[in-house]
Structure formats: C-alpha cells, structure tokens
Amino acid sequence: MKQFRIHKDDKVKVIAGKDKDKVGKVLKILRKSDRVLVEKVNMVKRNVRPNPYKREPGGIVEKEMPIHVSNLMVVCPACARPTRVAYRYEEKERNGQTKKVRVRYCKHCNKPL
C-alpha cells in the first residue's frame, strides 16, 4: 500500500493546475490512482438522472473530482503556511509503558501536524 504524506481531514493548498492557490480539506484519498478528493477544488458539472428510490431529482450537479497528490501541499495549522511534511519518532507513555510513535511535523515551525 502506498504511503502518502497527506491524510484525510488535512488542510491542503493546490500548487498546480487550474485551481492553483485554492485551499480545502481532504475528503477522501484514492490510493490506487494517486489522487485526492479535496473540498471545493476541481469542481465539474455532471448530468444526473433522477432516482425515485432515493428521492433524488435529476439535473446538472456540481461535484468535486480527484486531483493528483503531487499538486497538493499540506497547510500547517500552527503557522498557516504550505509546508513539506517530515517525520520523527517521539516517545509516548500509555498505561505505564513507553512507546515510540511516528509523528508528522512541519518543516517551517517544527510543530506536529
């Protein structure tokens, strides 16, 4: 399984493409195609047929389409800047035992994401 530095519910900024400089929250990660679904980014219009079983009307619907993970950068919640993500191991104590935990952190301000 592929390892992405972007996780669900992260705030990300688009750095390339038609939606450059837009900021949104990650809704879903599609690992097979290296793509990410971001809120209010890469919006397209789709024609939808009515579904009487779900009580959905038909018509033209705007929805998000996936964007490639290489076109995104994580926005640090502490310094509010797009940043590269790095990893470090920190020791956390739980139930009297210390465990090494892998933590993502911001390259600018060195605070955990």
Side-chain angles (χ1 to χ4, degrees):
M1 191 157 75
K2 294 178 184 170
Q3 174 78 29
F4 290 143
R5 296 175 190 274
I6 295 173
H7 295 172
K8 189 176 175 181
D9 294 330
D10 276 350
K11 197 173 176 186
V12 293
K13 182 176 182 178
V14 181
I15 58 170
K18 68 175 187 175
D19 292 321
K20 186 176 179 178
D21 296 330
K22 283 190 180 178
V23 177
K25 186 176 96 171
V26 174
L27 301 174
K28 190 175 184 179
I29 295 179
L30 308 168
R31 294 189 187 279
K32 284 186 180 178
S33 58
D34 295 340
R35 293 179 177 270
V36 177
L37 202 64
V38 182
E39 190 175 41
K40 302 292 181 194
V41 172
N42 201 15
M43 299 293 287
V44 294
K45 292 185 179 194
R46 288 286 178 251
N47 292 319
V48 178
R49 299 182 83 179
N51 189 342
Y53 301 109
K54 293 183 182 176
R55 293 193 175 125
E56 290 178 353
I60 299 171
V61 176
E62 274 201 69
K63 67 176 195 173
E64 298 101 355
M65 291 300 282
I67 187 167
H68 199 269
V69 73
S70 67
N71 296 331
L72 301 173
M73 276 186 96
V74 176
V75 176
C76 175
C79 61
R81 291 167 44 183
T83 181
R84 295 191 314 265
V85 177
Y87 292 95
R88 70 167 75 119
Y89 287 94
E90 294 180 356
E91 291 191 8
K92 299 227 176 176
E93 190 171 328
R94 193 179 346 166
N95 299 337
Q97 296 178 347
T98 58
K99 234 181 171 181
K100 282 192 175 183
V101 179
R102 187 172 156 194
V103 178
R104 298 185 307 157
Y105 71 95
C106 173
K107 284 279 212 168
H108 293 293
C109 62
N110 285 326
K111 295 202 174 139
L113 294 175

